[in-house]
Amino acid sequence: MFFLRMIFRSFSRQFKRRLLIAVTVCLSATVSVAMLGVVFDVGDKLNAELSTYGSNITVQPKADAVVNDLYNTGGDANSGASGTSESDPTTFLKESDAPKIKTIFWAFNITNFAPELNIHADVNCASESADSSSCKASGVPIVGTWFAKTLHMDSGESTVAGMNGMRSWWKLDGSWPKDDSAQGLIGTTLASKLGVTKGDTVTLYKTTADGSRNKQRIAITGIYDSGDSDNNAMYIPSSTTQVLANLPDSIDKIEVKALTTPDNDLARKASKNPNALTQDEWETWYCTAYPSSIAYQIEEVIPGSVAKQVRQVAALQGDVLQKTQAVMVLMTVLSLVAAAIAVANLMAASIGERGSELALLKAIGATDGAVSRLMLAETAVISLVGAIVGALLGSGVAQIVGHVVFGSGITMRPMVFVLVFVLLTLTVLIASFSSIRSILGLKPAEVLHGR
């Protein structure tokens, strides 16, 4: 009881200095909890943010992938028709295989996907002949895809996949088409060229591989602005495109949006040659949601396919994540260093003011250890109060950062609070070390005689 009374009496005698220590620790705890809270959650937030910009994995037939690698003919994965050549594809995947993407080990990380059949067609021709001179537009890129297709998996689960969730940056005037219908979207540039608006109908003409001339009337449900050359294209249901081109169950690309872990040295090594990995490295890579491991698993379930990560998105994700985490960790370290310096100075000043009291304690029999424990206990109590208040404030600051930067709250993990309290404990102990050393060198006789 005597020990506790001395601790609480010291607060009243040196209230301002104790308050300054509490405020210092509180500010350091606030910054540390907020920054580390964001650090541990920023990976998921960054994934969600970047996923709004389209797919990060594309799946193609092997033959097309080889040609793209040799001649660098692959376009932007998220540019749809603008990322394809002016000729129609000659190798295909099966559309019926696309749902198998949701059966891989990382199926729950696949947030969306959309198969595509990219062809070219003539629009609003005066005659049905193969001569395209009578058409208002010839060689128009047509993307056959899903918009919001409901898939019923063998596991009994259902999922919705399609472009509706893959083109969030589009400015759409109208509504999305229905799957397996004669509806479609048209880009602003093409709509202006043809003089059509939403609600109008256009007629597509396509000369197939066997020489026949097919046509299909499409009701325009909306006009989109993608901000790039994709505005020259039309998007219609894949089933309608397959009938028009006489290519049943055929697609030439699948765009996949997946939540992934940023690449590291292991992922980069695996992306070059998975067979070069050791058994332990293989298991770690396969069971981690790297873009390359998810792509590898997609290749396992879709015959004749090559899945590749969109390097620009993956590189951006890893680069931004590392820099963001580095800045926040640096801010945490600087706040702890500032707290250590401030607490050390405040404790030194406190001991200087209480020199006579501490000397008297030693003179009446208190050991160096007892006096040191008293000073540590006083600092620990006031620091604990500051740390608790700072942790609460830090949680609030983290939520503000989350809503301002990512538009959603930050998930505060218990590990963050444990880590901050451990770091603050070490900081206070280090800051107290120099002050404790001055207590050990205190000579009661000299202090009490004013020397």
Side-chain angles (χ1 to χ4, degrees), residues 73-378:
T73 59
D76 182 355
N78 297 314
S79 62
S82 64
T84 64
S85 64
E86 295 182 359
S87 59
D88 288 353
T90 56
T91 57
F92 305 94
L93 301 172
K94 291 184 177 181
E95 184 184 37
S96 54
D97 287 333
K100 294 179 181 178
I101 290 176
K102 290 293 286 184
T103 65
I104 67 171
F105 179 81
W106 287 108
F108 289 106
N109 281 49
I110 305 295
T111 58
N112 202 354
F113 64 96
E116 297 178 13
L117 176 58
N118 293 276
I119 64 170
H120 295 78
D122 301 327
V123 184
N124 290 351
C125 301
S127 66
E128 296 187 11
S129 66
D131 183 11
S132 60
S133 59
S134 63
C135 304
K136 283 192 174 182
S138 60
V140 173
I142 307 296
V143 182
T145 187
W146 298 345
F147 295 101
K149 195 176 186 68
T150 301
L151 305 174
H152 300 285
M153 314 303 294
D154 293 337
S155 61
E157 298 177 348
S158 296
T159 187
V160 176
M163 283 292 173
N164 200 336
M166 301 284 283
R167 296 290 188 268
S168 58
W169 68 92
W170 278 6
K171 296 177 182 178
L172 179 63
D173 179 18
S175 59
W176 288 92
K178 294 180 180 179
D179 287 297
D180 302 318
S181 69
Q183 298 177 342
L185 299 177
I186 188 170
T188 53
T189 303
L190 181 59
S192 177
K193 180 179 180 180
L194 297 175
V196 302
T197 60
K198 62 179 179 180
D200 290 347
T201 300
V202 298
T203 304
L204 304 180
Y205 294 85
K206 175 64 177 175
T207 303
T208 64
D210 61 7
S212 60
R213 184 77 165 170
N214 294 340
K215 73 174 183 177
Q216 176 68 55
R217 292 175 62 82
I218 300 293
I220 304 299
T221 62
I223 300 175
Y224 67 86
D225 181 7
S226 65
D228 56 23
S229 57
D230 213 12
N231 284 336
N232 292 301
M234 284 184 61
Y235 281 73
I236 65 177
S238 58
S239 57
T240 305
T241 311
Q242 290 163 7
V243 171
L244 178 65
N246 194 24
L247 295 170
D249 197 29
S250 298
I251 54 175
D252 66 296
K253 184 169 75 170
I254 306 174
E255 292 188 25
V256 181
K257 183 193 294 186
L259 297 176
T260 60
T261 299
D263 278 348
N264 56 14
D265 291 339
L266 175 61
R268 284 186 282 270
K269 179 180 178 181
S271 63
K272 293 178 181 177
N273 183 13
N275 295 326
L277 301 179
T278 65
Q279 184 64 33
D280 289 342
E281 287 177 334
W282 171 272
E283 292 177 357
T284 300
W285 170 72
Y286 195 89
C287 296
T288 304
Y290 297 121
S292 56
S293 65
I294 293 179
Y296 182 86
Q297 292 169 29
I298 291 174
E299 292 177 1
E300 289 182 317
V301 299
I302 299 185
S305 69
V306 172
K308 295 184 177 181
Q309 65 187 91
V310 180
R311 290 289 178 180
Q312 298 93 326
V313 175
L316 174 65
Q317 178 182 342
D319 190 44
V320 172
L321 181 60
Q322 289 176 0
K323 291 180 178 179
T324 302
Q325 290 178 332
V327 169
M328 293 184 175
V329 169
L330 179 61
M331 291 179 65
T332 301
V333 171
L334 291 177
S335 73
L336 293 172
V337 171
I341 295 172
V343 171
N345 289 331
L346 289 170
M347 283 193 67
S350 176
I351 290 173
E353 290 180 1
R354 298 173 61 188
S356 299
E357 176 189 347
L358 299 177
L360 181 59
L361 288 173
K362 294 182 73 173
I364 62 177
T367 62
D368 288 339
V371 177
S372 299
R373 285 193 296 272
L374 173 64
M375 296 300 295
L376 283 174
E378 292 174 359

Side-chain angles (χ1 to χ4, degrees), residues 48-60:
E49 188 75 13
L50 290 177
S51 68
T52 62
Y53 297 100
S55 62
N56 52 357
I57 296 175
T58 58
V59 187
Q60 295 176 281

Side-chain angles (χ1 to χ4, degrees), residues 22-45:
V23 170
T24 300
V25 174
C26 177
L27 290 175
S28 180
T30 300
V31 173
S32 299
V33 168
M35 294 300 100
L36 292 180
V38 174
V39 163
F40 282 106
D41 200 46
V42 71
D44 293 340
K45 298 298 181 188

